[in-house]
Amino acid sequence: MQLTEVSVFGLRSVVLVLRHRESPLRFVLLPTVHLGRPDYYQQLARRLATCDLIVAEMYDGPSSTGLAYLTALRLTRQHRGGPLVHQNIDYRALGVPTVWPDGEVIPGRHRRMPLWGWLDLITMVPYLTVTMAIGGRDFLLRRNFEISDDSEPRLRPAILHRMLLEERDHLLLATLTGIHHERRHEHIDVAVIYGAAHLPAVVRLLAGRLGYRPQRGGEWLVVIDF
């Protein structure tokens, strides 16, 4: 099951709805790329606003990963993909209850990037800038952004893989399992908006142990034009 796909025309991500034969609850999966066209994030926000509950990644504020990529692209003067922005969805403005498996939003710090986000920028921007400068101006085109339900994304070194993927996947899956058990008799749509690398584990949980099945005819959103 494809979650993101890359062709000569660009990068797309799917909107995948999963249903259960014995439950009216639906999960709406939004595998997200943290850097993309402005209208991509506008479409995501509109889709989120139609749901009854949102399970979102990290915190309510700009993506430090997306901002690092965008900064490095501008420093190396790469224009592939046209005008791009980093993910910066204002969840509070959507008016939909939002759950943050990675931790609750701190009152009074709405929309402010936390300290670890700035540390991400400090460490990632130099590395990405050098990588893009050495590799040339087709960096985005060469990157493998394709993710499917049987993908096994890996990060190096191993400590980053454990902290950024394994541990956070564990929190996310526990949250979704709890929602299924507590609210499976409700007629609600639960949106799951996370980086695409986290979604293979989500699909395997929902379609495997919990018994959900994908609805036919998933909607595709254009993230980046090539």
Short mmCIF file of all heavy atoms in Angstrom, two decimals, residues 58-92:
data_model
loop_
_atom_site.label_atom_id
_atom_site.label_comp_id
_atom_site.label_asym_id
_atom_site.label_seq_id
_atom_site.Cartn_x
_atom_site.Cartn_y
_atom_site.Cartn_z
N MET A 58 4.54 15.74 17.41
CA MET A 58 5.44 16.64 18.12
C MET A 58 4.75 17.73 18.93
O MET A 58 4.55 17.59 20.11
CB MET A 58 6.44 17.28 17.14
CG MET A 58 7.28 16.27 16.38
SD MET A 58 8.29 15.20 17.44
CE MET A 58 9.69 16.27 17.75
N TYR A 59 4.35 18.84 18.30
CA TYR A 59 3.79 19.98 19.05
C TYR A 59 3.10 20.89 18.06
O TYR A 59 3.23 20.74 16.84
CB TYR A 59 4.90 20.74 19.78
CG TYR A 59 5.82 21.50 18.86
CD1 TYR A 59 5.73 22.89 18.75
CD2 TYR A 59 6.74 20.84 18.05
CE1 TYR A 59 6.56 23.59 17.89
CE2 TYR A 59 7.56 21.53 17.19
CZ TYR A 59 7.46 22.89 17.10
OH TYR A 59 8.27 23.58 16.24
N ASP A 60 2.34 21.86 18.56
CA ASP A 60 1.60 22.78 17.68
C ASP A 60 2.51 23.93 17.27
O ASP A 60 2.54 24.98 17.91
CB ASP A 60 0.36 23.30 18.39
CG ASP A 60 -0.58 24.04 17.43
OD1 ASP A 60 -0.20 24.18 16.25
OD2 ASP A 60 -1.66 24.45 17.85
N GLY A 61 3.25 23.74 16.20
CA GLY A 61 4.17 24.77 15.74
C GLY A 61 4.90 24.32 14.49
O GLY A 61 4.65 23.24 13.96
N PRO A 62 5.82 25.12 13.98
CA PRO A 62 6.51 24.81 12.73
C PRO A 62 7.42 23.59 12.86
O PRO A 62 7.99 23.33 13.92
CB PRO A 62 7.31 26.08 12.45
CG PRO A 62 7.51 26.73 13.79
CD PRO A 62 6.27 26.42 14.56
N SER A 63 7.56 22.87 11.77
CA SER A 63 8.43 21.70 11.74
C SER A 63 9.89 22.14 11.66
O SER A 63 10.29 22.81 10.71
CB SER A 63 8.08 20.82 10.53
OG SER A 63 9.10 19.89 10.27
N SER A 64 10.68 21.74 12.63
CA SER A 64 12.11 22.08 12.61
C SER A 64 12.81 21.35 11.46
O SER A 64 13.72 21.90 10.83
CB SER A 64 12.77 21.74 13.95
OG SER A 64 12.58 20.38 14.27
N THR A 65 12.38 20.11 11.17
CA THR A 65 12.97 19.36 10.06
C THR A 65 12.69 20.05 8.73
O THR A 65 13.59 20.24 7.90
CB THR A 65 12.41 17.93 10.02
OG1 THR A 65 12.71 17.27 11.25
CG2 THR A 65 13.00 17.15 8.85
N GLY A 66 11.44 20.43 8.51
CA GLY A 66 11.09 21.12 7.28
C GLY A 66 11.80 22.45 7.14
O GLY A 66 12.25 22.82 6.04
N LEU A 67 11.93 23.18 8.25
CA LEU A 67 12.61 24.47 8.21
C LEU A 67 14.09 24.30 7.91
O LEU A 67 14.70 25.11 7.20
CB LEU A 67 12.42 25.20 9.55
CG LEU A 67 12.95 26.63 9.64
CD1 LEU A 67 12.40 27.50 8.52
CD2 LEU A 67 12.62 27.24 11.00
N ALA A 68 14.70 23.22 8.43
CA ALA A 68 16.11 22.95 8.14
C ALA A 68 16.32 22.66 6.66
O ALA A 68 17.26 23.19 6.05
CB ALA A 68 16.60 21.77 8.99
N TYR A 69 15.47 21.85 6.07
CA TYR A 69 15.56 21.56 4.63
C TYR A 69 15.36 22.83 3.81
O TYR A 69 16.09 23.08 2.84
CB TYR A 69 14.53 20.52 4.23
CG TYR A 69 15.00 19.09 4.35
CD1 TYR A 69 14.85 18.39 5.55
CD2 TYR A 69 15.62 18.45 3.28
CE1 TYR A 69 15.30 17.08 5.66
CE2 TYR A 69 16.05 17.14 3.38
CZ TYR A 69 15.89 16.46 4.58
OH TYR A 69 16.33 15.17 4.69
N LEU A 70 14.37 23.62 4.18
CA LEU A 70 14.08 24.84 3.42
C LEU A 70 15.26 25.81 3.50
O LEU A 70 15.65 26.41 2.49
CB LEU A 70 12.82 25.51 3.98
CG LEU A 70 12.36 26.77 3.25
CD1 LEU A 70 11.99 26.47 1.81
CD2 LEU A 70 11.17 27.39 3.99
N THR A 71 15.84 25.96 4.67
CA THR A 71 16.98 26.87 4.84
C THR A 71 18.16 26.42 4.00
O THR A 71 18.81 27.22 3.32
CB THR A 71 17.38 26.92 6.33
OG1 THR A 71 16.27 27.38 7.10
CG2 THR A 71 18.56 27.88 6.53
N ALA A 72 18.45 25.11 4.02
CA ALA A 72 19.57 24.58 3.24
C ALA A 72 19.31 24.73 1.74
O ALA A 72 20.23 25.05 0.97
CB ALA A 72 19.82 23.12 3.59
N LEU A 73 18.09 24.52 1.30
CA LEU A 73 17.76 24.69 -0.12
C LEU A 73 18.00 26.13 -0.56
O LEU A 73 18.52 26.39 -1.66
CB LEU A 73 16.30 24.31 -0.36
CG LEU A 73 15.95 22.82 -0.36
CD1 LEU A 73 14.44 22.62 -0.38
CD2 LEU A 73 16.58 22.11 -1.55
N ARG A 74 17.63 27.06 0.29
CA ARG A 74 17.82 28.47 -0.07
C ARG A 74 19.29 28.86 -0.04
O ARG A 74 19.75 29.63 -0.89
CB ARG A 74 17.01 29.35 0.89
CG ARG A 74 15.50 29.25 0.65
CD ARG A 74 14.71 30.03 1.67
NE ARG A 74 13.29 30.03 1.34
CZ ARG A 74 12.33 30.48 2.14
NH1 ARG A 74 12.65 30.97 3.34
NH2 ARG A 74 11.06 30.44 1.76
N LEU A 75 20.05 28.33 0.92
CA LEU A 75 21.47 28.65 1.00
C LEU A 75 22.23 28.12 -0.22
O LEU A 75 23.21 28.72 -0.66
CB LEU A 75 22.07 28.08 2.29
CG LEU A 75 21.67 28.77 3.59
CD1 LEU A 75 22.21 28.00 4.79
CD2 LEU A 75 22.18 30.22 3.62
N THR A 76 21.79 26.99 -0.75
CA THR A 76 22.45 26.40 -1.92
C THR A 76 21.77 26.80 -3.23
O THR A 76 22.12 26.30 -4.29
CB THR A 76 22.47 24.86 -1.80
OG1 THR A 76 21.13 24.38 -1.60
CG2 THR A 76 23.34 24.42 -0.65
N ARG A 77 20.78 27.69 -3.12
CA ARG A 77 20.09 28.26 -4.29
C ARG A 77 19.48 27.18 -5.19
O ARG A 77 19.58 27.25 -6.41
CB ARG A 77 21.05 29.13 -5.08
CG ARG A 77 21.58 30.32 -4.29
CD ARG A 77 22.45 31.22 -5.13
NE ARG A 77 22.93 32.37 -4.36
CZ ARG A 77 23.70 33.33 -4.85
NH1 ARG A 77 24.09 33.28 -6.13
NH2 ARG A 77 24.08 34.34 -4.10
N GLN A 78 18.87 26.23 -4.56
CA GLN A 78 18.17 25.19 -5.32
C GLN A 78 16.74 25.66 -5.58
O GLN A 78 16.04 26.08 -4.67
CB GLN A 78 18.15 23.88 -4.56
CG GLN A 78 19.55 23.29 -4.36
CD GLN A 78 19.50 21.80 -4.20
OE1 GLN A 78 18.77 21.10 -4.91
NE2 GLN A 78 20.29 21.28 -3.30
N HIS A 79 16.32 25.56 -6.81
CA HIS A 79 14.99 26.02 -7.20
C HIS A 79 14.09 24.88 -7.64
O HIS A 79 12.95 25.11 -8.03
CB HIS A 79 15.10 27.04 -8.33
CG HIS A 79 15.97 28.21 -7.99
ND1 HIS A 79 15.63 29.13 -7.01
CD2 HIS A 79 17.19 28.59 -8.45
CE1 HIS A 79 16.59 30.04 -6.91
NE2 HIS A 79 17.54 29.74 -7.77
N ARG A 80 14.59 23.66 -7.59
CA ARG A 80 13.78 22.52 -7.98
C ARG A 80 12.54 22.43 -7.09
O ARG A 80 12.62 22.51 -5.88
CB ARG A 80 14.60 21.24 -7.84
CG ARG A 80 13.85 19.97 -8.10
CD ARG A 80 13.59 19.75 -9.58
NE ARG A 80 14.82 19.48 -10.30
CZ ARG A 80 14.86 19.16 -11.58
NH1 ARG A 80 13.72 19.10 -12.28
NH2 ARG A 80 16.00 18.92 -12.18
N GLY A 81 11.36 22.28 -7.71
CA GLY A 81 10.14 22.17 -6.94
C GLY A 81 9.38 23.47 -6.79
O GLY A 81 8.28 23.50 -6.26
N GLY A 82 9.96 24.58 -7.23
CA GLY A 82 9.26 25.86 -7.16
C GLY A 82 9.24 26.41 -5.75
O GLY A 82 10.04 26.03 -4.90
N PRO A 83 8.33 27.35 -5.46
CA PRO A 83 8.27 27.95 -4.13
C PRO A 83 7.79 26.95 -3.09
O PRO A 83 6.67 26.43 -3.18
CB PRO A 83 7.26 29.10 -4.31
CG PRO A 83 6.41 28.67 -5.47
CD PRO A 83 7.32 27.90 -6.38
N LEU A 84 8.65 26.63 -2.13
CA LEU A 84 8.33 25.65 -1.10
C LEU A 84 8.32 26.31 0.27
O LEU A 84 8.99 27.32 0.50
CB LEU A 84 9.35 24.51 -1.12
CG LEU A 84 9.52 23.75 -2.43
CD1 LEU A 84 10.61 22.70 -2.30
CD2 LEU A 84 8.21 23.11 -2.86
N VAL A 85 7.57 25.73 1.19
CA VAL A 85 7.52 26.20 2.58
C VAL A 85 7.66 24.99 3.49
O VAL A 85 7.49 23.84 3.07
CB VAL A 85 6.20 26.94 2.88
CG1 VAL A 85 6.06 28.18 2.01
CG2 VAL A 85 5.00 26.01 2.70
N HIS A 86 7.98 25.24 4.75
CA HIS A 86 8.03 24.15 5.71
C HIS A 86 6.67 23.97 6.37
O HIS A 86 5.86 24.90 6.41
CB HIS A 86 9.11 24.41 6.77
CG HIS A 86 8.91 25.66 7.56
ND1 HIS A 86 9.12 26.90 7.03
CD2 HIS A 86 8.50 25.86 8.84
CE1 HIS A 86 8.87 27.82 7.94
NE2 HIS A 86 8.48 27.21 9.04
N GLN A 87 6.42 22.79 6.87
CA GLN A 87 5.13 22.48 7.51
C GLN A 87 4.91 23.40 8.70
O GLN A 87 5.77 23.50 9.59
CB GLN A 87 5.10 21.02 7.95
CG GLN A 87 3.79 20.62 8.62
CD GLN A 87 3.81 19.18 9.08
OE1 GLN A 87 4.63 18.39 8.61
NE2 GLN A 87 2.92 18.84 9.99
N ASN A 88 3.76 24.04 8.73
CA ASN A 88 3.47 24.97 9.83
C ASN A 88 1.95 25.12 9.97
O ASN A 88 1.39 26.20 9.78
CB ASN A 88 4.12 26.33 9.55
CG ASN A 88 4.14 27.21 10.79
OD1 ASN A 88 3.80 26.77 11.88
ND2 ASN A 88 4.54 28.46 10.62
N ILE A 89 1.29 24.01 10.29
CA ILE A 89 -0.16 24.00 10.43
C ILE A 89 -0.55 24.48 11.83
O ILE A 89 -0.01 24.00 12.83
CB ILE A 89 -0.72 22.58 10.18
CG1 ILE A 89 -0.41 22.14 8.74
CG2 ILE A 89 -2.22 22.51 10.45
CD1 ILE A 89 -0.72 20.68 8.47
N ASP A 90 -1.48 25.43 11.89
CA ASP A 90 -1.96 25.95 13.17
C ASP A 90 -3.14 25.09 13.63
O ASP A 90 -4.27 25.30 13.23
CB ASP A 90 -2.38 27.41 13.00
CG ASP A 90 -2.70 28.08 14.33
OD1 ASP A 90 -2.86 27.36 15.34
OD2 ASP A 90 -2.81 29.32 14.36
N TYR A 91 -2.87 24.12 14.47
CA TYR A 91 -3.91 23.17 14.88
C TYR A 91 -4.98 23.83 15.74
O TYR A 91 -6.16 23.49 15.64
CB TYR A 91 -3.28 21.99 15.63
CG TYR A 91 -2.44 21.12 14.74
CD1 TYR A 91 -1.07 21.32 14.61
CD2 TYR A 91 -3.02 20.08 14.02
CE1 TYR A 91 -0.31 20.52 13.78
CE2 TYR A 91 -2.26 19.27 13.20
CZ TYR A 91 -0.90 19.50 13.08
OH TYR A 91 -0.15 18.71 12.25
N ARG A 92 -4.59 24.76 16.58
CA ARG A 92 -5.58 25.42 17.43
C ARG A 92 -6.61 26.14 16.59
O ARG A 92 -7.80 26.16 16.92
CB ARG A 92 -4.88 26.39 18.39
CG ARG A 92 -5.85 27.11 19.32
CD ARG A 92 -5.15 28.07 20.26
NE ARG A 92 -4.29 27.36 21.20
CZ ARG A 92 -3.59 27.98 22.15
NH1 ARG A 92 -3.64 29.29 22.27
NH2 ARG A 92 -2.85 27.28 22.99
#
